[in-house]
Amino acid sequence: MGAFARQVNKKMKTIIKNGRVLNVHTEQYENKTVVVEGDKIIDLVKSTDVVGKSDIVIDAAGKFILPGLIDAHVHVTSATVDLATPQLPVTYTTCCAVKNLAESLQRGFTTVRDVGGADFGLSMAVSEGIIKGSRLFYCGRALSQTGGHGDFRAATYDGEYGAPMQSSATTIGQIADGVTEVRRACRSELRKGASFIKIMAAGGVASPGDRVTDTQYSGEELAAIAEEVKAKGTYIAAHVYSSKSMQICLKHGVRTIEHGNLLDEETAAIMKDKGAFLIPTVITYDSLNRRGAELNFPVESIKKIGSVRVQALEAIRIARKHRVKVGFGTDLLGPLWEEQSNEFTIRSTVENPMDIIISATKINAEVLNQSGMLGEISPRAVADILILEKNPVEDISVLTNSANISAIMQAGKIIKNTL
């Protein structure tokens, strides 16, 4: 996958002193000095301790130090909000991906999980430093049944999915029907370095031919997908809205519920019992509701937003009540990527700031199977570090303005430093 392949000068030593470091396990700030060597945090000591010589010393007096943020639901290759748009040149979508990744990093997201569209080439470019952007985990192209959330063919078109009727959605998803096809699709994406498999297990807002309450994929198909990911020691992420669809997915071992807007109490209890994660993406509905029409989001899709937008926040309340692990995602398309950090403020209407920060760090690291490596500031963790001017626990909107981020370190490399 190459997510950690970036070459860093192993002898470079950086000390960050006098700051207040967030411990994501105790959810408390600690007066600690962070010692970084190469791409790792090698020590975390009391501010009064002497740590010896270093190549770089950053004085973070009066500042707040957080782990790099993680967005667990993105589409980095998205160039437009209308996925039915005729397929754009790969060179253009690649340039959009470079822009999205670079701007995401400047907002403090040192890592993102792409759930449809990105591939090993983009991941390699980031890992090798060719692209300066968020570290990239990816699933390749998501799996969709015919007529499912990944099928953007017009009802008037009766040909096969693909040329000459390709749309921008074909970079995000692929059609796979039946046990044989879903096995082949899983094996193909895993062969190309996917760290998980994404499935469209229900209808969606952006897809023209289904309803958000539709269930998609049969039990036999889901069982085959589950068997393939188990063989590779990875997991399934499922695009899903209704509780009925969620329960079907959970029965077949789906680990992360993407969106999950129509979650109910019964399903939340099942999620808790099975250790599944909810990855809300509240900002995408809010932004599409406000700006979709001006960006040519289809009228049919705008109508669908009303059926899930308000419930997105209610789903988070229910999940928290049942102690479901809640991650952090955004799912923004095209020009709406600029609203990525607004997920923090919109969720603050139902959650406290600390819970949201933990979602975007510790919990999302667990989603990525990177606990102890990402999403925390501790010895042996990757040195992804943010230094903030103000305390986001007191005011979560601090994270919505990059001017409040004094310094960004990714894998030991200083990306930004205004101190």
Side-chain angles (χ1 to χ4, degrees):
M1 179 170 53
F4 298 102
R6 173 176 292 161
Q7 295 301 310
V8 178
N9 183 352
K10 300 299 182 181
K11 296 181 181 179
M12 183 68 73
K13 186 176 181 181
T14 302
I15 292 175
I16 304 172
K17 65 179 185 178
N18 298 327
R20 299 180 63 191
V21 179
L22 180 64
N23 184 325
V24 297
H25 300 286
T26 65
E27 300 185 7
Q28 300 291 325
Y29 283 108
E30 300 170 348
N31 295 320
K32 292 290 182 70
T33 292
V34 185
V35 184
V36 175
E37 189 168 354
D39 62 350
K40 295 290 181 63
I41 298 167
I42 63 167
D43 210 349
L44 198 63
V45 299
K46 294 180 180 178
S47 294
T48 54
D49 290 353
V50 177
V51 293
K53 295 181 179 180
S54 67
D55 300 285
I56 300 172
V57 176
I58 298 176
D59 190 345
K63 306 297 190 292
F64 299 85
I65 303 175
L66 269 64
L69 303 172
I70 304 170
D71 189 335
H73 191 118
V74 302
H75 297 283
V76 302
T77 59
S78 65
T80 173
V81 299
D82 183 5
L83 297 178
T85 298
Q87 189 171 14
L88 297 165
V90 66
T91 46
Y92 180 78
T93 56
T94 300
C95 289
C96 289
V98 172
K99 178 178 182 289
N100 290 336
L101 287 165
E103 293 179 353
S104 176
L105 179 58
Q106 290 299 317
R107 288 189 282 266
F109 290 93
T110 51
T111 301
V112 295
R113 182 183 71 145
D114 188 279
V115 290
D119 64 4
F120 66 93
L122 280 173
S123 179
M124 186 185 303
V126 174
S127 298
E128 294 181 0
I130 296 170
I131 296 173
K132 293 182 179 179
S134 305
R135 180 183 296 104
L136 183 61
F137 290 79
Y138 63 94
C139 67
R141 292 188 298 157
L143 280 60
S144 172
Q145 69 174 45
T146 294
H149 180 56
D151 188 345
F152 282 79
R153 290 173 295 179
T156 54
Y157 180 71
D158 200 32
E160 293 297 317
Y161 187 76
M165 295 297 293
Q166 287 182 330
S167 72
S168 294
T170 59
T171 63
I172 290 178
Q174 59 185 306
I175 303 301
D177 292 313
V179 170
T180 299
E181 286 192 22
V182 298
R183 285 191 187 279
R184 178 207 52 77
C186 286
R187 291 171 182 175
S188 177
E189 298 305 335
L190 293 168
R191 178 186 69 83
K192 293 181 286 187
S195 60
F196 65 102
I197 292 296
K198 163 80 175 297
I199 63 172
M200 306 300 196
V205 168
S207 44
D210 57 21
R211 300 166 300 175
V212 296
T213 54
D214 287 352
T215 62
Q216 296 177 6
Y217 274 134
S218 67
E220 292 81 4
E221 290 166 318
L222 292 172
I225 296 168
E227 187 175 14
E228 293 300 326
V229 299
K230 184 178 180 181
K232 287 289 188 178
T234 185
Y235 66 94
I236 306 170
H239 161 101
V240 62
Y241 283 100
S242 73
S243 284
K244 180 180 180 180
S245 297
M246 285 183 238
Q247 290 192 25
I248 293 171
C249 287
L250 293 166
K251 178 182 177 181
H252 290 91
V254 166
R255 183 167 174 263
T256 69
I257 297 294
E258 312 294 317
H259 315 300
N261 298 41
L262 305 181
L263 180 70
D264 62 19
E265 304 272 351
E266 178 186 3
T267 308
I270 296 171
M271 288 184 69
K272 169 61 178 176
D273 182 60
K274 291 184 174 293
F277 297 79
L278 176 68
I279 312 295
T281 58
V282 187
I283 188 58
T284 194
Y285 312 105
D286 181 75
S287 60
L288 283 170
N289 185 61
R290 288 184 282 105
R291 302 171 58 187
E294 68 183 74
L295 295 172
N296 299 315
F297 196 55
V299 174
E300 296 81 3
S301 294
I302 290 176
K303 291 178 181 178
K304 288 185 184 182
I305 293 173
S307 66
V308 296
R309 184 167 67 91
V310 175
Q311 291 92 327
L313 291 171
E314 180 61 22
I316 294 174
R317 286 195 194 96
I318 293 172
R320 291 290 185 190
K321 175 182 174 181
H322 288 270
R323 294 180 295 137
V324 173
K325 293 179 180 179
V326 180
F328 181 102
T330 55
D331 193 30
L332 295 163
L333 303 175
L336 298 179
W337 258 81
E338 65 188 16
E339 297 204 30
Q340 185 179 24
S341 298
N342 291 342
E343 179 78 7
F344 288 104
T345 51
I346 196 167
R347 280 178 55 168
S348 68
T349 60
V350 295
E351 295 177 280
N352 68 61
M354 181 62 80
D355 284 343
I356 307 171
I357 293 168
I358 297 302
S359 289
T361 53
K362 179 177 177 285
I363 298 298
N364 273 358
E366 191 174 344
V367 168
L368 295 172
N369 290 322
Q370 295 296 325
S371 295
M373 288 283 285
L374 299 178
E376 62 184 81
I377 298 177
S378 61
R380 294 178 295 281
V382 175
D384 288 356
I385 299 170
L386 308 182
I387 303 177
L388 305 179
E389 289 289 324
K390 301 175 183 178
N391 184 2
V393 177
E394 294 180 352
D395 180 7
I396 197 67
S397 68
V398 167
L399 291 170
T400 65
N401 185 350
S402 59
N404 291 320
I405 306 178
S406 301
I408 300 171
M409 175 180 283
Q410 184 190 45
K413 183 177 181 180
I414 296 174
I415 305 299
K416 173 184 178 181
N417 185 10
T418 62
L419 295 177

